[in-house]
Amino acid sequence: MRELEISNQELSALADEALDLAKTYWASLEERPAYPSTSGKQTTELFSRPWLEEGRGQDVLQDFKSIAEHVRPSTGRFFGYVVGSGEPIGALGELLAAVLNQNVTSWRSAPAATSIEHAVIGWLAEAVGCAGFTGSLCGGGSAANLMALAMAREAKAPANETGARLPCVVYASEQVHMSIPKAVALLGIGRKNLRLIPVDGEFRMQVDALQAAIAADREAGNTPIAIVATVGTIVSGAIDPMHEIADIARSEGLWLHVDGAYGVLAALALPEKLRGLSSADSLSLDAHKWLYQPLDCGCLLHRHPQIARATFSHSDDYVRTLSEDPTEAFAFFEESFELSRRFRALKVWMSLQYHGRRAFREAIARDLHHAQLLAETIALHPELELLAPVPLSAVCFRHRAKDNEAILRGVIARGRVYLSNATINGQFALRACFVNHRTSTADVRTIVSEVIVVADELNR
Ligand SMILES: Cc1ncc(COP(=O)(O)O)c(C=O)c1O
């Protein structure tokens, strides 16, 4: 047998063993701590090792058990950041996608996978009220935001051929996600040309201040190109006023990008609240957040395939498509940033069809309910204080009298729930975010009881 080949018999035994490991892990999720008790020293000692000359064979699968002891498990009691729960049908889809090993550069190199990605893009666009938008899947919201702003720049101040004619200006609220300043820097627009517009008491962009900032830039001879509106800010889930911002973008001739990486899929459960997204030129969302898919699965949606091509098309002859048929001639690399791309769409295709639309809508509605339940429970405890409104599923709060940083450390160390932190109006906040189909009502109540237990133990 040639090197790297394994017999069908051995492969079958290995595959069974790998699936057994996966099944045992899934079955054990709720008994696992919300965060492992581990340290950098421990994980380095366990996992830094030489690559040996001779293979370890089947034994290598046994590593999974110790790896699983030192990962952040996808329990329903992990409430940090915006971490989706990794729905198992999606995980099986990932396995099968890797088995097929498609390179989804274009229809020519991945026929079925390209059509499936187009179908999934259509479902996602329709789910957020943007039927007819096109786009592509990518690594996450950061990649989608970068591609969107690259398109905005090429549409409003073309730079691909001759380089940038500075200064172009982009507008976003003070609460914008860090991926936007990063994109602005990478695109050569410059972070100083990102205007961070003040927010109101509910952490939404102030449209008067936006209008004034655009006027001031025009007066100064700068070139405004784009507004980024956020639907679901990373800290408190605030939703920028879409309609007013869309009106300004239209009257000023600016590109409107919606960063919906965290929040936009709430449109499945709250279509009224999130109406008007289709007035955007582009929109990013993360199926690995509030669509419960295993990492990674970001998505850029837009309604400008021509501009996408103007921005990203730069083809060598060796990838030239040989068909006149538009479906068969289609290439993602002409309309997005990457060439080699994996078959991300298969997990979404399988998971969304396995469960059906209602199951996802209801899971999102339950997350929204859990956030309200936590806010109500906080209100019943006078020693606790809510620090921001709860328009979606992120809840920021604090203990009025104790050291909240010490509380957070204590809560994490106990391992029953995991919270993350944020700063709200200069105050250290405990933050819980619900994007997890495994979370129960009891888990939500545990958040407050854990915070109170740890706070009571402090300074004893
Ligand atoms: C509002 C917002 N935008 C962008 C991102 C970046 O997404 P990703 O981590 O998938 O790159 C996040 C991540 O939490 C986010 O909440």
Side-chain angles (χ1 to χ4, degrees):
M1 197 166 268
R2 268 173 268 150
E3 58 283 356
L4 296 184
E5 269 186 353
I6 40 182
S7 69
N8 285 337
Q9 202 184 6
E10 194 178 342
L11 183 55
S12 172
L14 280 167
D16 286 348
E17 196 178 334
L19 277 181
D20 282 345
L21 287 168
K23 285 187 274 185
T24 309
Y25 178 72
W26 280 322
S28 73
L29 267 181
E30 289 319 311
E31 290 132 40
R32 290 181 181 267
Y35 195 77
S37 58
T38 186
S39 68
K41 186 164 177 288
Q42 254 181 313
T43 53
T44 308
E45 273 168 11
L46 274 168
F47 304 120
S48 52
R49 56 177 71 162
W51 178 18
L52 300 177
E53 188 60 21
E54 299 304 325
R56 289 169 60 206
Q58 189 158 354
D59 181 38
V60 79
L61 279 182
Q62 293 311 314
D63 285 350
F64 182 84
K65 288 181 188 150
S66 59
I67 295 169
E69 295 301 317
H70 297 271
V71 296
R72 169 201 60 74
S74 296
T75 74
R77 290 169 284 105
F78 186 92
F79 303 110
Y81 321 108
V82 189
V83 178
S85 38
E87 190 280 311
I89 305 298
L92 296 176
E94 280 285 50
L95 170 65
L96 296 175
V99 170
L100 292 172
N101 191 31
Q102 295 297 284
N103 193 354
V104 195
T105 64
S106 59
W107 188 91
R108 184 187 179 191
S109 79
T114 297
S115 291
I116 288 175
E117 184 161 335
H118 278 139
V120 164
I121 292 287
W123 295 344
L124 295 176
E126 201 255 325
V128 300
C130 294
F133 277 39
T134 181
S136 59
L137 301 181
C138 57
S142 303
N145 286 340
L146 176 64
M147 290 197 286
L149 287 181
M151 286 173 61
R153 193 190 59 182
E154 206 49 29
K156 303 293 175 186
N160 278 8
E161 292 308 321
T162 55
R165 278 182 290 128
L166 294 175
C168 297
V169 186
V170 174
Y171 304 84
S173 96
E174 281 168 346
Q175 295 288 314
V176 76
H177 186 262
M178 64 186 188
S179 56
I180 297 295
K182 188 182 272 194
V184 163
L186 289 173
L187 291 167
I189 292 168
R191 278 194 286 261
K192 283 200 175 138
N193 295 315
L194 173 64
R195 303 280 178 265
L196 293 179
I197 307 299
V199 292
D200 63 15
E202 297 187 15
F203 303 98
R204 299 174 306 186
M205 192 193 290
Q206 288 184 21
V207 284
D208 292 352
L210 169 66
Q211 188 78 73
I214 297 170
D217 275 309
R218 294 215 192 275
E219 182 77 21
N222 298 330
T223 308
I225 59 168
I227 306 171
V228 179
T230 305
V231 172
T233 57
I234 177 72
V235 171
S236 68
I239 302 171
D240 283 337
M242 271 303 299
H243 296 290
E244 290 95 323
I245 294 174
D247 285 346
I248 294 175
R250 202 174 303 114
S251 66
E252 296 283 347
L254 304 184
W255 185 278
L256 175 56
H257 174 62
V258 171
D259 179 359
Y262 157 32
V264 99
L265 282 157
L268 270 172
L270 298 172
E272 292 302 320
K273 193 166 180 173
L274 298 191
R275 214 175 266 295
L277 297 171
S278 62
S279 53
D281 294 285
S282 57
L283 182 149
S284 48
L285 62 84
D286 266 348
H288 63 227
K289 291 190 168 76
W290 222 347
L291 211 53
Y292 314 101
Q293 295 304 304
L295 286 144
D296 59 14
C297 195
C299 175
L300 174 66
L301 298 172
H302 61 81
R303 52 189 170 84
H304 301 289
Q306 300 289 5
I307 295 171
R309 277 193 284 279
T311 307
F312 298 110
S313 174
H314 188 86
S315 306
D316 281 334
D317 196 51
Y318 83 99
V319 287
R320 188 163 53 85
T321 44
L322 304 175
S323 172
E324 299 297 318
D325 176 286
T327 302
E328 296 177 13
F330 178 81
F332 281 108
F333 58 78
E334 297 279 357
E335 297 189 12
S336 68
F337 160 74
E338 293 170 313
L339 177 59
S340 291
R341 302 167 69 253
R342 59 200 201 80
F343 190 3
R344 290 191 178 92
L346 184 58
K347 62 183 164 198
V348 188
W349 168 263
M350 284 178 51
S351 169
L352 267 55
Q353 291 190 96
Y354 181 93
H355 294 289
R357 195 178 168 114
R358 182 167 51 82
F360 285 93
R361 188 173 59 245
E362 288 177 358
I364 293 169
R366 193 147 42 87
D367 285 327
L368 290 162
H369 167 71
H370 283 156
Q372 293 305 323
L373 178 65
L374 176 57
E376 284 159 21
T377 315
I378 288 165
L380 296 175
H381 289 78
E383 67 272 48
L384 302 180
E385 169 186 30
L386 200 61
L387 290 176
V390 183
L392 291 176
S393 69
V395 183
C396 295
F397 66 107
R398 69 174 197 125
H399 195 288
R400 290 178 198 269
K402 298 281 174 80
D403 175 349
N404 285 280
E405 212 171 316
I407 292 178
L408 182 61
R409 267 189 252 107
V411 166
I412 293 172
R414 284 166 60 87
R416 292 186 173 80
V417 296
Y418 186 98
L419 306 176
S420 57
N421 50 286
T423 304
I424 298 244
N425 293 330
Q427 285 179 315
F428 185 95
L430 307 168
R431 180 178 167 285
C433 185
F434 301 92
V435 285
N436 191 322
H437 70 282
R438 296 192 178 95
T439 300
S440 67
T441 305
D443 295 333
V444 182
R445 296 195 197 286
T446 309
I447 296 172
V448 167
S449 59
E450 284 296 285
V451 166
I452 303 264
V453 166
V454 174
D456 288 350
E457 278 170 4
L458 286 176
N459 309 331
R460 271 221 173 128

